[in-house]
Amino acid sequence: MAASVRQNTQKVTFNDGNQIPLIGLGTWKAKDEEVYLSVKHALEAGYRHIDTAAAYGNEEPIGRALKDSGLKREEFFVTTKLWSNAHNDPVGAINSSLEKLGLEYVDLYLLHWPVFLNPNGFPERVPLLPDGKRDIVFDWSFVKTYELMHDCVKLGKAKSIGISNFSVKNMKKLMAAPETKITPVVNQVEIHPHLPQFALADYCAQHNIKLQAYSPLGSNGSPLLKDETLQALGEKYGVSPATIIFAWFSKREIVFLPKSLNKERLAQNLLTVDLSDEDVETINNIHKNFSKRYNDQDWSPIKPFEEDE
Ligand code: A2P
């Protein structure tokens, strides 16, 4: 089949009216010069959406790459995230992120995980207890954290706010709380054909909340690219299996955040094709034979995703 391959310029509109490019550059685990170059090459290739987080420790080089691009502020979209050790002070945390990024505001600020870690613990980023478990603050609710994040919008520090790593159960709790005056615009979670997240997608659609997919290729080693069904579809359309996965996100209107440090792959990931409904259905069914969450963090005794699995 000669598929018409083109650059993906699709955007998605949030429930607050703001818009986000469907493809964004993921930057988890990328640091210093390598993330600077990844962002620089991505912007040169046409990316206009960069996803980072305070916890990634790379906001400063990303900010430099954005500045050096010469693009005007309104020409690109930046997301960063509130790390778990600062749930009691989102405004202080966003100020620190903005300073590192060299920006006046971010387009999107996400509550990174629904778990509060000791803000005075050690080590600072992921404080631990003597038994090696994460030092969790139990007499606190993510409802309170999200309520405090409303101030980031009121103060003009974030254009939109949302959540990340929320299960349906936790989303229901957040949405039912009277303190939640601003509906999250997105929930950013791991999504790919081995973890399609259909139940979460149904819940989000009911509330006009968009999904964002991290690890769209399965993260380290990009295991999704070894999937035989996706490889066969890649051959059918004459594109890489990565393009097939990204085209599936386009069909589902899910924002996706592939990461690459390689200039050619960065450019390749901007490409998309139109999948037939039948092929979308084939991809939708892959998880029935093989499903896997590739990023599993140990928040024990809390299991953020338990009830959705
Ligand atoms: P690299 O930086 O060498 O390109 P994810 O987006 O799921 O986190 O996956 C990221 C991994 O997939 C990275 O290791 C990245 O390696 C690799 N990758 C990204 N895009 C492609 C692609 N188009 N083809 C093959 N591997 C890719």
Side-chain angles (χ1 to χ4, degrees):
M1 182 194 283
S4 97
V5 183
R6 59 178 193 285
Q7 188 115 341
N8 190 343
T9 53
Q10 202 174 337
K11 288 187 173 186
V12 163
T13 304
F14 290 151
N15 60 38
D16 63 6
N18 293 330
Q19 283 198 320
I20 185 170
L22 198 76
I23 177 167
L25 178 70
T27 64
W28 185 32
K29 296 176 188 160
K31 292 245 160 74
D32 306 322
E33 187 62 9
E34 68 176 21
V35 79
Y36 175 86
L37 287 175
S38 175
V39 174
K40 179 181 185 299
H41 294 148
L43 295 172
E44 285 167 3
Y47 287 72
R48 289 295 176 266
H49 168 193
I50 312 292
D51 183 275
T52 180
Y56 301 169
N58 60 15
E59 290 169 310
E60 191 275 327
I62 289 175
R64 263 192 296 119
L66 289 166
K67 183 163 178 266
D68 293 351
S69 73
L71 289 167
K72 293 201 205 87
R73 178 63 189 90
E74 60 276 16
E75 289 177 309
F76 56 84
F77 189 106
V78 177
T79 301
T80 194
K81 312 185 190 86
L82 172 69
W83 181 236
S84 285
N85 64 357
H87 279 207
N88 55 339
D89 186 19
V91 172
I94 201 172
N95 280 338
S96 157
S97 285
L98 290 172
E99 197 182 321
K100 290 187 182 117
L101 286 162
L103 299 176
E104 299 282 307
Y105 67 89
V106 285
D107 299 275
L108 179 60
Y109 197 45
L110 300 182
L111 172 44
H112 203 155
W113 285 90
V115 189
F116 185 19
L117 294 174
N118 184 353
N120 305 309
F122 182 83
E124 192 182 325
R125 195 178 69 81
V126 183
L128 300 172
L129 294 169
D131 65 3
K133 292 210 163 79
R134 294 186 176 192
D135 189 356
I136 294 170
V137 179
F138 287 99
D139 63 342
W140 183 272
S141 166
F142 54 73
V143 170
K144 180 75 188 160
T145 315
Y146 189 74
E147 184 191 4
L148 292 173
M149 284 175 69
H150 289 33
D151 288 338
C152 299
V153 178
K154 286 185 198 132
L155 295 167
K157 311 264 178 192
K159 296 277 184 208
S160 301
I161 53 173
I163 53 182
S164 180
N165 296 303
F166 269 61
S167 61
V168 172
K169 182 179 163 197
N170 284 339
M171 285 190 83
K172 282 183 177 165
K173 184 175 169 191
L174 182 70
M175 295 294 285
E179 297 92 327
T180 303
K181 306 272 196 262
I182 302 177
T183 300
V185 295
V186 297
N187 184 10
Q188 182 180 127
V189 294
E190 179 178 336
I191 315 178
H192 42 66
H194 293 167
L195 191 69
Q197 301 273 21
F198 291 127
L200 198 61
D202 282 347
Y203 181 82
C204 287
Q206 282 164 31
H207 295 271
N208 197 10
I209 296 168
K210 299 295 179 190
L211 278 175
Q212 287 186 313
Y214 69 68
S215 301
L217 303 177
S219 198
N220 287 352
S222 41
L224 267 291
L225 302 182
K226 298 185 189 92
D227 185 285
E228 285 176 12
T229 307
L230 295 168
Q231 286 182 347
L233 285 169
E235 273 173 38
K236 175 175 169 185
Y237 284 81
V239 296
S240 140
T243 308
I244 298 293
I245 296 169
F246 302 152
W248 175 73
F249 285 121
S250 289
K251 277 275 190 178
R252 294 183 65 196
E253 284 214 333
I254 293 176
V255 177
F256 58 98
L257 308 164
K259 189 191 133 190
S260 181
L261 302 175
N262 174 282
K263 211 170 167 179
E264 284 72 39
R265 288 191 282 278
L266 278 169
Q268 186 195 84
N269 290 350
L270 276 178
L271 301 177
T272 195
V273 287
D274 285 322
L275 294 175
S276 70
D277 291 343
E278 193 192 345
D279 291 332
V280 170
E281 200 50 34
T282 300
I283 301 170
N284 286 348
N285 285 328
I286 288 176
H287 74 109
K288 292 179 184 162
N289 290 324
F290 184 81
S291 76
K292 184 163 177 171
R293 181 184 296 282
Y294 289 98
N295 300 288
D296 225 354
Q297 299 204 19
D298 184 6
W299 294 94
S300 58
I302 293 174
K303 293 190 173 151
F305 308 115
E306 192 178 31
E307 71 285 352
D308 283 359
E309 302 200 305

